Amino acid sequence: MNTNMYINRMVKRTVAFLLCLITFFSVLSFADCSVLQLAVQAHAEEDLAVVSVAPTYEKKFDKKLYNALLKELDAQLETKKFSKKANSFFRELLKLEVENYPQWRTVYKDLPAPKSYIRENLINVIPLIGKLKLIDADSPEGRVYVKKSGFEGRTTIDGKKSNMVVLYRDPKKLDEYEKADQLGTFAHELRHVHDRACSKKTSFPTKALRKIILEGAASFHERFALPIETSFGGTAQVVGYDDSMFIFKCDRNSVYPYYQTIYDVLVYLAGYNVVNAVGMGKSLETIKTAVLKNYDSDTSQKLWGLLQNLPLMADDDIVESKKAYHAVNTIFSLLMLRVKRDIKKLDKKQPEKIRKFMDVYRNIKMKVLADRFVYDGEEFNPVRYGDWGITDACLVDKIIASKALPVLFKDKEMNRQALTEMLYVDLFPYETSYEFGAYLPPTIAQTEYTFFLQNGKPRMIETFTDSMDYGVIFVCLLNSDGTVSRQADYLD
């Protein structure tokens, strides 16, 4: 079988299928009653005392931080002559980032504190802007702009300043998520202004590496305008060769998934501060040096060589390339091996760091690694990338040794299985009693877990608030075979 014969068909069928998140597996049910009824019944029939694990992060709006940063923002805006609409975009973006950025911070090792992050990426960018033009996409000018450029935003360097053009639509015609989406575009262009020194001065060995550092960064950062979600909504991009392909996805208000994914890998291996500094004009060699320091020369050299073997993403969002496919495959292999090494180095005397790493690790599985599909002679099927079971087991060992979490079940194997289930993630909707499905928790930090025995059978309940502020409950059945059944519903 040749990829040329099938990949376009797959983009129309499998990718659409994937991004619409129509599940390709059956969700096993526990009983002919609702999940909520089951949970209540289970508590009434419990055989052992319930063990609960409380969330470590509660989503809330930090009004004090917002008011302090709003004063700084307004002071900067007073030095400019932007339109009222543009000023409102800055203020609305500030509000969204104060509310949503802290959630994202729970799934990365070293993102900066909210105050310093928002100052750097929003407030301190304003002095670097020369002209800022917002164009109504539904106006004659907007329609011409879209037809000519194909972009919703563009940033260009003009001497010592940067000029921004951003399309927008009348907020009265948009729902809250659509409003946030276009503010994400605004944040994307602000990130380009932030990275203007790199865009202007840095010499890149390949065009693809330039895209990773610049467009990957802008896509990485614009996500923080929205809450973190388990599902994906961005446009898919594909790297394929022979009978296999990687499908890159991004969050609903971001773009360039291929470049963003590799940027995300660099953030993990080199550290956020290092990659961020490269965007501000530091040498590309800084990344190599940081990876060398964090790991070893072999990792640093291999990664750098692989980065230079990545081609540009094609206009049709498909790259059919043996070189590209194997480079991506090897980059992910490097990442997995280094994640496992980092788990082994975790200090059991620092349980809070191990608890934090649980979310970092889970996020890599959920949002960093691309999905891999392999052709079986009839169709492309999803293939679990690598042996995450072994890596899960390493992290579970650390959790138990450090007592980062309490003993969930007296039976040691059931205890391990419950911890493994906390680390589990998939991206597909589970059936509910409503017309729409529910997704697994986006983070461990925001989820409350309850563990108990019902009629001798271990069960686990997950409750959390999703990105639409709906209460969600999952009831999971653990069994001796190591399999897990899950049933979901929304809380009234």
Side-chain angles (χ1 to χ4, degrees):
M1 204 282 292
N2 189 287
T3 304
N4 292 326
M5 296 174 57
Y6 292 97
I7 197 161
N8 286 314
R9 185 179 72 186
M10 286 304 301
V11 171
K12 293 177 182 177
R13 187 179 67 182
T14 303
V15 175
F17 156 87
L18 177 67
L19 293 181
C20 291
L21 295 171
I22 300 171
T23 181
F24 56 72
F25 58 86
S26 299
V27 179
L28 303 178
S29 60
F30 296 123
D32 294 329
C33 57
S34 74
V35 175
L36 189 55
Q37 287 174 323
L38 180 61
V40 172
Q41 175 187 354
H43 277 288
E45 298 177 0
E46 65 190 29
D47 299 324
L48 287 178
V50 173
V51 177
S52 295
V53 176
T56 55
Y57 173 78
E58 180 183 356
K59 182 183 176 183
K60 58 184 178 181
F61 185 75
D62 190 337
K63 191 172 182 180
K64 184 178 179 181
L65 174 63
Y66 171 74
N67 289 336
L69 291 176
L70 181 59
K71 287 183 180 179
E72 296 181 23
L73 176 68
D74 285 342
Q76 287 292 350
L77 292 177
E78 285 179 6
T79 68
K80 297 291 184 178
K81 295 181 180 180
F82 300 146
S83 68
K84 289 184 179 179
K85 174 65 69 177
N87 286 347
S88 72
F89 268 46
F90 278 105
R91 295 186 182 108
E92 289 169 18
L93 180 57
L94 170 64
K95 186 175 181 180
L96 287 176
E97 290 189 343
V98 168
E99 182 174 10
N100 296 317
Y101 171 76
Q103 298 176 78
W104 290 90
R105 195 167 177 246
T106 66
V107 299
Y108 284 92
K109 290 190 296 183
D110 56 355
L111 290 185
K115 181 184 286 188
S116 59
Y117 174 84
I118 294 172
R119 274 179 177 161
E120 178 183 346
N121 288 278
L122 180 60
I123 298 170
N124 294 348
V125 172
I126 294 172
L128 303 175
I129 302 172
K131 298 177 182 178
L132 198 171
K133 184 175 184 179
L134 299 181
I135 304 175
D136 186 339
D138 297 321
S139 69
E141 181 185 9
R143 288 191 288 270
V144 170
Y145 181 86
V146 170
K147 188 175 181 179
K148 288 179 65 176
S149 72
F151 296 102
E152 292 196 5
R154 183 180 288 276
T155 298
T156 56
I157 294 175
D158 182 11
K160 295 183 179 180
K161 303 289 183 180
S162 292
N163 297 333
M164 285 174 52
V165 176
V166 179
L167 288 177
Y168 77 96
R169 288 167 179 80
D170 184 353
K172 295 178 182 178
K173 300 178 182 178
L174 306 177
D175 62 28
E176 292 303 311
Y177 259 65
E178 289 169 330
K179 292 176 186 177
D181 282 351
Q182 69 178 16
L183 287 169
T185 300
F186 192 70
H188 184 105
E189 298 308 318
L190 288 176
R191 182 65 193 191
H192 283 319
V193 176
H194 174 281
D195 291 347
R196 66 188 306 277
C198 179
S199 179
K200 185 177 181 180
K201 299 177 182 178
T202 303
S203 176
F204 292 91
T206 68
K207 291 181 179 180
L209 189 51
R210 176 185 174 86
K211 286 279 192 179
I212 290 166
I213 298 299
L214 296 174
E215 295 296 354
S219 188
F220 177 91
H221 285 273
E222 70 181 296
R223 300 172 301 161
F224 302 153
L226 285 178
I228 189 169
E229 296 178 308
T230 302
S231 62
F232 285 88
T235 303
Q237 295 181 322
V238 178
V239 171
Y241 171 70
D242 199 13
D243 294 349
S244 302
M245 69 172 79
F246 285 105
I247 298 180
F248 296 79
K249 307 174 304 301
C250 59
D251 291 278
R252 69 191 312 270
N253 69 323
S254 59
V255 290
Y256 301 109
Y258 173 65
Y259 303 123
Q260 181 194 306
T261 297
I262 305 304
Y263 185 88
D264 229 321
V265 172
L266 296 181
V267 167
Y268 182 87
L269 295 177
Y272 173 83
N273 289 336
V274 171
V275 184
N276 185 57
V278 170
M280 298 177 71
K282 282 264 188 171
S283 169
L284 282 170
E285 295 291 319
T286 308
I287 294 176
K288 287 177 65 177
T289 302
V291 176
L292 172 63
K293 180 180 178 181
N294 293 340
Y295 298 97
D296 50 53
S297 177
D298 183 60
T299 304
S300 178
Q301 294 297 330
K302 277 185 179 178
L303 179 65
W304 198 247
L306 291 164
L307 290 174
Q308 296 181 68
N309 274 313
L310 291 171
L312 284 169
M313 176 54 66
D315 291 338
D316 61 357
D317 290 340
I318 300 172
V319 173
E320 295 185 69
S321 164
K322 179 179 180 180
K323 182 173 73 171
Y325 181 85
H326 286 294
V328 167
N329 190 58
T330 309
I331 286 173
F332 288 155
S333 294
L334 274 177
L335 175 64
M336 291 173 64
L337 288 171
R338 274 54 193 180
V339 167
K340 188 174 180 181
R341 183 183 301 182
D342 288 343
I343 291 172
K344 290 181 178 179
K345 290 170 65 177
L346 289 171
D347 187 349
K348 65 181 182 181
K349 295 180 181 179
Q350 296 179 314
E352 70 286 348
K353 289 188 177 180
I354 293 175
R355 177 76 185 269
K356 160 82 173 177
F357 194 83
M358 290 172 67
D359 252 325
V360 175
Y361 172 72
R362 189 171 179 270
N363 187 64
I364 289 170
K365 294 197 288 184
M366 180 169 70
K367 290 191 175 290
V368 179
L369 292 179
D371 287 328
R372 187 183 184 192
F373 286 77
V374 175
Y375 189 74
D376 67 0
E378 295 183 0
E379 61 182 357
F380 279 92
N381 292 307
V383 175
R384 194 177 185 187
Y385 186 82
D387 191 349
W388 283 104
I390 294 175
T391 317
D392 283 352
C394 289
L395 184 50
V396 167
D397 287 341
K398 287 288 184 177
I399 297 167
I400 293 171
S402 66
K403 298 181 180 179
L405 292 175
V407 175
L408 308 177
F409 292 106
K410 288 185 177 180
D411 183 277
K412 291 183 179 180
E413 287 306 310
M414 286 301 102
N415 186 59
R416 292 185 64 86
Q417 193 172 330
L419 292 169
T420 302
E421 175 63 15
M422 291 180 70
L423 300 174
Y424 175 80
V425 66
D426 61 46
L427 309 177
F428 299 94
Y430 287 75
E431 260 185 57
T432 69
S433 60
Y434 293 78
E435 294 181 356
F436 45 90
Y439 297 88
L440 289 170
T443 74
I444 296 172
Q446 293 175 259
T447 305
E448 181 172 3
Y449 297 88
T450 307
F451 306 86
F452 55 90
L453 291 178
Q454 182 193 8
N455 299 326
K457 296 180 180 179
R459 296 190 187 275
M460 164 180 160
I461 294 178
E462 303 172 320
T463 54
F464 60 96
T465 302
D466 69 10
S467 61
M468 299 294 288
D469 289 331
Y470 294 133
V472 181
I473 181 170
F474 272 82
V475 178
C476 306
L477 171 64
L478 313 181
N479 62 41
S480 58
D481 295 328
T483 60
V484 180
S485 298
R486 306 174 188 89
Q487 191 173 345
D489 214 337
Y490 288 93
L491 296 170
D492 295 331

